[in-house]
Amino acid sequence: MERSHHVEAGSLEASLLQMINDHNHAAIELRERTEKAKKEAIRTAIRVSDLLVNAVNGGVEEIFINEKRIEAEIRALTATIMRFSKQTDQWLVVSHAINTAVKEIGDFENWMKTMELDCKSISAAICNIHQT
């Protein structure tokens, strides 16, 4: 008997071939869906990663800008403090000079009073001598 290479519809072999084809087709579809899901998961992970990096970098950038502003303010305050320190030193020198001048005026005033008393004393002595 010659065996036919044609598969008859409804035969066991035809059913098995159909099942294999269906399985292969389902496996291909599953691979495609899996690959599509994998690519979508990767895109989503990249997006999440980018958002996280931007959130962290945004905070870091803001902190960096604030740090630069603070450093500039520190430099400005340091310059102001130095200027005020020099001005205070100048005021101390001037106030010391004024105090010294006031002391000298007081000393001169005392010297003048002493001279006045001496002159009165000498004048009184001359008057007494002249009267006698």
Side-chain angles (χ1 to χ4, degrees), residues 24-83:
N24 287 339
H25 183 66
I28 290 170
E29 278 187 32
L30 181 61
R31 254 186 261 125
E32 288 173 355
R33 281 195 314 247
T34 302
E35 190 63 30
K36 187 177 179 180
K38 177 182 169 185
K39 288 179 182 179
E40 182 62 29
I42 289 172
R43 278 194 300 272
T44 303
I46 289 170
R47 178 74 178 136
V48 168
S49 174
D50 289 343
L51 289 173
L52 288 173
V53 167
N54 289 339
V56 170
N57 284 345
V60 169
E61 182 179 356
E62 186 177 337
I63 289 170
F64 181 74
I65 290 170
N66 287 340
E67 180 183 11
K68 291 300 175 189
R69 287 180 185 158
I70 289 169
E71 288 174 356
E73 286 295 324
I74 288 171
R75 284 190 294 276
L77 287 173
T78 301
T80 302
I81 289 169
M82 293 303 291
R83 195 173 63 247

Side-chain angles (χ1 to χ4, degrees), residues 6 37 42 51 54 69 73 75 85-86 98 106-107 109 113 115 131:
H6 295 290
I42 289 172
L51 289 173
N54 289 339
R69 287 180 185 158
E73 286 295 324
R75 284 190 294 276
S85 177
K86 287 178 184 177
I98 289 172
D107 291 344
E109 187 179 359
K113 285 180 183 178
M115 291 299 288
Q131 286 177 355

Side-chain angles (χ1 to χ4, degrees), residues 1 5 9 20 27 30 47 50 53 67 71 76 96-97 99 103-104 110 112 121:
M1 282 185 105
H5 289 291
I20 290 173
L30 181 61
R47 178 74 178 136
D50 289 343
V53 167
E67 180 183 11
E71 288 174 356
H96 181 69
N99 284 340
K103 283 181 187 177
E104 288 174 359
N110 285 337
M112 289 296 293
S121 179

Side-chain angles (χ1 to χ4, degrees), residues 105-119:
I105 290 171
D107 291 344
F108 181 73
E109 187 179 359
N110 285 337
W111 179 78
M112 289 296 293
K113 285 180 183 178
T114 303
M115 291 299 288
E116 184 180 10
L117 286 175
D118 287 349
C119 286

